[in-house]
């Protein structure tokens, strides 16, 4: 019996069938599984511009495999284009909108399964939240990574353009060079090319078994990506027949595997936020402390941008995520019994993958020669972050810094100070009221961090925020500080010039002010007025949880 029988079977469903006939159903189709194709296509961003072609390939493959596909659209927000503007406040919010849209369409139409096709950062976790909520057979198809831009023999990504702005203001390049970077950074379709958020989350989904092997590192414009989309639809039809559901795959061990792979590839801080949200929705007990526990045992073995040398297509050519997983599996750092949507165990899936990476490349290193002996996403706590914060410490030469606080009540003021060269070596830049509630929406701080790096201060300045950082960020940066300023967190009590210690070695984020003074400040603190009272941002601010629990909006009372 199919779930879609509710709208296709019985005399009383004659009117329902009448409408389905108008969209292509024939007499023989009403007993077939109805499969939603959640198509994230748009011309808003290069990340999603190729998704319609993939969705059409998947649609036809589903039909040929015995399914009855029904395509519907989901939205996207381009993080790169909205970065540094008020529009970025809608980025994390769009994760919830995407999840709600997919859930609404699939459940409203009694679909038997869903194939979600996404590209930009929030498409992946949004689709995963919907899959976990509905628990109907599901496969995710990643739109694919962009190929690197080229300039002067160097690989470029969109982060190169952000950093070029800082290089210009510090006099290291001229406007002609800036324009050259701008014109060459993004050569075509696909998601941002380093191990930024989109590629990080697609790698996590592949690891957890809800997308096909090798699919998370394929280039958007290569034919194998379209072939993989078609195969994904065939797998979905099989999953419906075998009743393989997302919650069968999204186990505690699967989340641990995803975290291990994210550490190994040097992935984005945003993975912490998204995996916490997905785990909570899936009913899996995952906490922010689990990331630190796994970080202690899993090294960084992939030399990928933003802090490394290579881009995601290079990782694909070196063996992709299966090669990374095989190294971790052989070292006892991966749970091999976890299942995939194809019905295989990870151990069986990786059986034919070499136990060592190819010798003619240095994108993936053996575990005996890692870039960093421990993972790069550290969980810092202290009086500034009692619930925790997330620091990305790959490429950081100075993991400990104590310095004076430079306090900004939002990203724009911070960026202006950096571009005016008012930030000095040794400063601890504090950007607050950018959290889930206070922003609202937890904006990413790629423009300030890239400007700091572009000015040559990446190893000399720390930046902390209750907002987020882009997957393209690197340097001594600490985000997701919780509790956030808008709900009374200590970050809201920091004053200009206060001494702050950021210590990635001791996992400490500390405001060096005595407790009596902090209590005085706390008593004098007043909750800021909401920046938005109506519309989706007003609704989001009223519903959203703390970042240490994934910043979800459907938390139970």
């Amino acid at each position: 019996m199919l779930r879609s029988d509710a709208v296709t079977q019985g005399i009383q469903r004659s009117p329902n069938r009448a409408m389905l006939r108008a969209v292509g159903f024939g007499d023989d189709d009403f007993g077939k599984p109805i499969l939603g194709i959640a198509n994230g296509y748009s011309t808003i961003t290069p990340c999603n511009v190729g998704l319609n072609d993939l969705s059409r390939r998947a649609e036809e493959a589903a039909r040929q495999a015995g399914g009855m596909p029904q395509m519907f659209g989901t939205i996207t927000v381009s993080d790169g284009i909205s970065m540094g503007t008020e529009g970025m406040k809608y980025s994390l919010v769009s994760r919830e909108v995407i999840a709600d849209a997919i859930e609404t369409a699939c459940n409203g139409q009694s679909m038997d399964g869903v194939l979600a096709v996404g590209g930009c950062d929030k498409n992946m976790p949004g689709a995963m939240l919907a899959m976990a909520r509905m628990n109907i057979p599901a496969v995710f198809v990643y739109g694919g990574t962009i190929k690197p831009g080229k300039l002067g023999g160097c690989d470029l990504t969109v982060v190169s353009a952000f950093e070029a702005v800082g290089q210009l203001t510090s006099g290291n390049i001229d406007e002609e060079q800036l324009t050259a970077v701008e014109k060459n950074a993004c050569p075509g379709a696909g998601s941002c090319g380093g191990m930024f958020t989109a590629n990080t989350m697609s790698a996590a989904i592949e690891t957890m078994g809800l997308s096909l092997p090798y699919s998370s590192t394929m280039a958007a414009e290569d034919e194998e990506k379209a072939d993989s989309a078609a195969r994904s639809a065939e797998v979905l039809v099989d999953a419906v027949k075998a009743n393989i559901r997302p919650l069968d795959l999204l186990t505690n061990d699967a989340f641990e595997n995803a975290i291990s792979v994210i550490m190994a590839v040097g992935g984005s801080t945003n993975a912490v936020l998204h995996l916490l949200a997905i785990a909570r929705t899936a009913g899996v007990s995952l906490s922010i402390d689990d990331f630190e526990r796994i970080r202690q045992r899993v090294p960084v073995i992939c030399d990928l941008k933003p802090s490394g040398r290579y881009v995601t297509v290079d990782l694909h050519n070196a063996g992709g995520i299966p090669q990374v997983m095989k190294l971790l599996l052989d070292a006892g750092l991966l749970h091999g019994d976890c299942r995939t949507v194809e019905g295989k165990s990870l151990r069986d899936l990786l059986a034919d993958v070499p136990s060592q990476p190819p010798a003619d490349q240095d994108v993936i290193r053996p575990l005996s020669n890692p870039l960093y002996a421990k993972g790069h996403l550290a969980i810092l706590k202290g009086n500034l972050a009692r619930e925790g914060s997330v620091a990305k410490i790959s490429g950081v030469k100075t993991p400990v810094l104590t310095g004076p606080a430079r306090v900004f009540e939002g990203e724009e003021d911070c960026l202006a100070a950096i571009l005016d060269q008012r930030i000095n070596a040794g400063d601890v830049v504090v950007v607050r009221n950018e959290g889930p509630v206070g922003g609202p929406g937890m904006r990413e701080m790629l423009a300030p961090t890239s400007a700091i790096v572009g000015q040559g201060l990446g190893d000399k300045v720390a930046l902390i925020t209750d907002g987020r950082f882009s997957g393209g960020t690197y340097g001594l940066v600490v985000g997701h500080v919780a509790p956030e300023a808008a709900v009374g967190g200590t970050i809201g009590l920091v004053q200009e010039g206060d001494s702050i210690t950021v210590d990635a070695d001791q996992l400490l984020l500390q405001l060096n002010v005595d407790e009596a003074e902090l209590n005085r400040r706390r008593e004098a603190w007043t909750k800021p007025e909401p920046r938005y009272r109506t519309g989706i941002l007003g609704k989001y601010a009223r519903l959203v949880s703390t970042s240490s629990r994934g910043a979800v909006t459907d938390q139970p009372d």
Side-chain angles (χ1 to χ4, degrees), residues 176-450:
E176 183 178 353
Q177 291 170 298
L178 173 67
T179 301
V181 172
E182 174 188 324
K183 289 183 176 180
N184 288 279
C186 300
S191 300
C192 301
M195 191 46 66
F196 310 149
T197 302
N199 287 322
T200 299
M201 290 308 300
S202 66
I205 296 170
E206 180 179 328
T207 302
M208 292 191 290
L210 277 160
S211 61
L212 299 193
Y214 299 99
S215 64
S216 69
T217 53
M218 292 174 179
E221 296 178 330
D222 286 351
E223 186 61 29
E224 65 175 347
K225 172 49 66 178
D227 293 342
S228 178
R231 175 60 188 150
S232 297
E234 295 167 354
V235 168
L236 177 60
V237 173
D238 291 341
V240 172
K241 293 176 182 176
N243 198 29
I244 299 173
R245 297 171 180 258
L247 296 189
D248 299 331
L249 311 179
L250 295 175
T251 62
N252 185 271
D253 284 353
F255 280 97
E256 290 198 351
N257 285 348
I259 296 169
S260 294
V261 168
I262 288 165
M263 295 295 177
V265 300
S268 166
T269 56
N270 285 313
V272 178
L273 190 77
H274 297 323
L275 289 181
L276 287 171
I278 297 164
R280 180 213 155 277
T281 303
V284 172
S285 180
L286 188 74
S287 79
I288 196 170
D289 296 323
D290 290 318
F291 289 82
E292 182 58 39
R293 173 176 56 83
I294 294 170
R295 181 185 84 87
Q296 292 293 329
R297 68 177 189 239
V298 179
V300 179
I301 59 172
C302 296
D303 190 4
L304 297 169
K305 291 180 182 293
S307 61
R309 293 178 292 166
Y310 296 105
V311 294
T312 303
V313 291
D314 298 317
L315 174 62
H316 187 64
N317 293 333
I321 296 304
Q323 181 65 80
V324 175
M325 287 197 290
K326 184 59 175 282
L327 298 180
L328 296 177
L329 179 67
D330 287 351
L333 299 173
L334 208 69
H335 302 288
D337 293 334
C338 288
R339 312 296 293 182
T340 74
V341 70
E342 294 181 278
K344 301 176 182 178
S345 71
L346 276 184
R347 183 173 287 105
D348 290 341
L349 189 74
L350 302 173
D352 295 330
V353 177
S355 292
Q356 292 297 323
D360 60 350
Q361 57 81 47
D362 56 357
V363 183
I364 305 173
R365 294 191 181 188
L367 268 74
S368 59
N369 183 33
L371 272 80
Y372 307 100
K374 296 180 180 180
H376 64 301
L377 299 180
I379 305 303
L380 274 54
K381 292 188 176 182
N383 67 354
L384 258 177
R386 298 192 185 279
E387 294 178 15
S389 61
V390 183
K392 188 176 186 180
I393 58 177
S394 53
V396 173
K397 298 175 182 176
T398 310
V400 181
L401 191 151
T402 296
R406 303 296 307 279
V407 181
F408 301 94
E409 302 298 337
E411 178 186 359
E412 289 84 355
D413 290 344
C414 173
L415 181 60
I418 295 167
L419 296 181
D420 288 346
Q421 298 186 312
R422 288 185 276 128
I423 301 301
N424 303 308
D427 285 347
V428 178
V429 177
V430 178
V431 185
R432 66 189 181 197
N433 290 307
E434 290 283 7
V437 174
M442 216 177 171
R443 285 193 292 183
E444 293 180 350
M445 304 289 144
L446 180 57
T449 56
S450 296

Side-chain angles (χ1 to χ4, degrees), residues 465-484:
T465 181
D466 50 9
R468 296 182 295 130
F469 289 111
S470 163
T473 292
Y474 64 100
L476 189 55
V477 295
V478 185
H480 308 199
V481 172
E484 63 174 293

